Amino acid sequence: MNWKAINFDWNQVRSFLATTEKGSFSAAARVLEQTQPTVGRQVAALERSLGVTLFERVGKSLTLTSAGADLLVHVQEMADVANRISLTATSQSNTIDGQVKITASDVMSAYQLPPILRKIRLAAPRLEIDVVATNDLRDIQRREADIAIRHVRPTQPNLIAKLVAEATAHFYATPSYLDQVGRPKTEAELAKLDFVSFGDVDTIIGFLNPAGIPVTAQNFRIGSKSGIVSWEMVRQGLGVSVMSDDVAAMTPGVERVLPGREPFKFPIWLATHSELHTARRIRLVFDQLAEQLSAPSRVPHL
């Protein structure tokens, strides 16, 4: 081991990672239970010790530099290892076993859950995780799932529910489709395009019309009850659809439509039965999901 080559403090690394994931010095300070100036000093000290600039400061905003983005990949790996060390120290990773059934939409199950599940598997390798990918609301009280990820607040009694994030969404289409039909500049122009439906068309219209998008059933000539299938149709140039910005960021070949428009916002709730929450395997997975889902990808702001 070349000890002289290790010239940084783990606390500085934690401050850098928390700032990147939580979006600001102040948010990072809250999660680390420190003060905002302390987090700022830790990041500045890390930059000095490594001899690189991690953030470009323009006005009140922060943007990761290329060096910062490169470092982030390694820091995330370090965080995974640190998490495993903490769990091993408390004998959790070696003793927690059994099955945990998670239900989520098919889109979230396919795009957003795999990297989170990878972290959970590293933390507790003896767990068996079953993902029930469905767009129907599974009944936790009937034990159809141990943990549910939902976009509406669960109201059933005897459930523990936690709001972990407020996600954003925009309209997306392929550049080739927009080259063909033109890039709309207003909601009225957008409403002249082909839309790919996901689920019930009347429900979608009832969501878009109050948001100022005057679409009708004539806009929806193709679609599917499967979110994955609908999104693939969009990806192959069949029309426009609303999609989570996190999922769109993972999908090459799509372009945001009306990029200056205010995003749609929707909550992400975790729910489990109050009795199940006392089980260590459920609590571990619940807490890991809450932590990872509450750290959306975004440009940090002071």
Side-chain angles (χ1 to χ4, degrees), residues 157-173:
N158 300 321
L159 292 187
I160 292 176
K162 182 175 183 179
L163 178 64
V164 295
E166 185 178 61
T168 60
H170 284 84
F171 293 102
Y172 288 92

Side-chain angles (χ1 to χ4, degrees), residues 142-162:
R142 296 181 181 178
R143 301 300 194 267
E144 294 178 356
D146 300 316
I147 299 173
I149 305 174
R150 296 177 175 173
H151 298 309
V152 294
R153 182 173 187 168
T155 58
Q156 298 97 323
N158 300 321
L159 292 187
I160 292 176
K162 182 175 183 179

Side-chain angles (χ1 to χ4, degrees), residues 15 17 43 58 103-104 118 121 149 190 217 224:
S15 293
L17 180 59
V43 173
V58 181
T103 182
R118 183 182 301 113
R121 289 282 298 128
I149 305 174
L190 174 63
S224 172

Side-chain angles (χ1 to χ4, degrees), residues 46-212:
L46 181 63
E47 290 180 318
R48 288 194 300 271
S49 64
L50 297 179
V52 296
T53 300
L54 302 175
F55 295 105
E56 291 180 350
R57 296 162 175 82
V58 181
K60 293 185 177 182
S61 64
L62 293 175
T63 303
L64 272 177
T65 63
S66 58
D70 290 341
L71 179 65
L72 180 61
V73 175
H74 301 294
V75 166
Q76 289 171 330
E77 294 176 354
M78 291 175 61
D80 289 340
V81 174
N83 188 41
R84 292 181 64 187
I85 291 173
S86 297
L87 288 168
T88 301
T90 58
S91 300
Q92 288 185 346
S93 63
N94 291 328
T95 60
I96 292 182
D97 56 15
Q99 185 184 75
V100 178
K101 185 176 292 187
I102 304 169
T103 182
S105 70
D106 57 356
V107 170
M108 174 170 280
S109 298
Y111 286 90
Q112 294 170 275
L113 278 187
I116 298 175
L117 297 181
R118 183 182 301 113
K119 294 176 183 292
I120 294 175
R121 289 282 298 128
L122 288 172
R126 295 179 61 180
L127 276 180
E128 298 175 14
I129 299 175
D130 180 22
V131 176
V132 182
T134 176
N135 299 312
D136 298 326
L137 295 182
R138 293 288 166 139
D139 193 340
I140 298 177
Q141 290 183 311
R142 296 181 181 178
R143 301 300 194 267
E144 294 178 356
D146 300 316
I147 299 173
I149 305 174
R150 296 177 175 173
H151 298 309
V152 294
R153 182 173 187 168
T155 58
Q156 298 97 323
N158 300 321
L159 292 187
I160 292 176
K162 182 175 183 179
L163 178 64
V164 295
E166 185 178 61
T168 60
H170 284 84
F171 293 102
Y172 288 92
T174 60
S176 60
Y177 174 76
L178 295 174
D179 288 342
Q180 176 185 352
V181 301
R183 285 166 174 77
K185 297 181 180 178
T186 66
E187 282 85 354
E189 292 180 359
L190 174 63
K192 297 178 181 178
L193 304 185
D194 297 319
F195 278 69
V196 177
S197 66
F198 165 36
D200 181 69
V201 171
D202 290 337
T203 300
I204 299 173
I205 293 174
F207 169 75
L208 293 179
N209 283 173

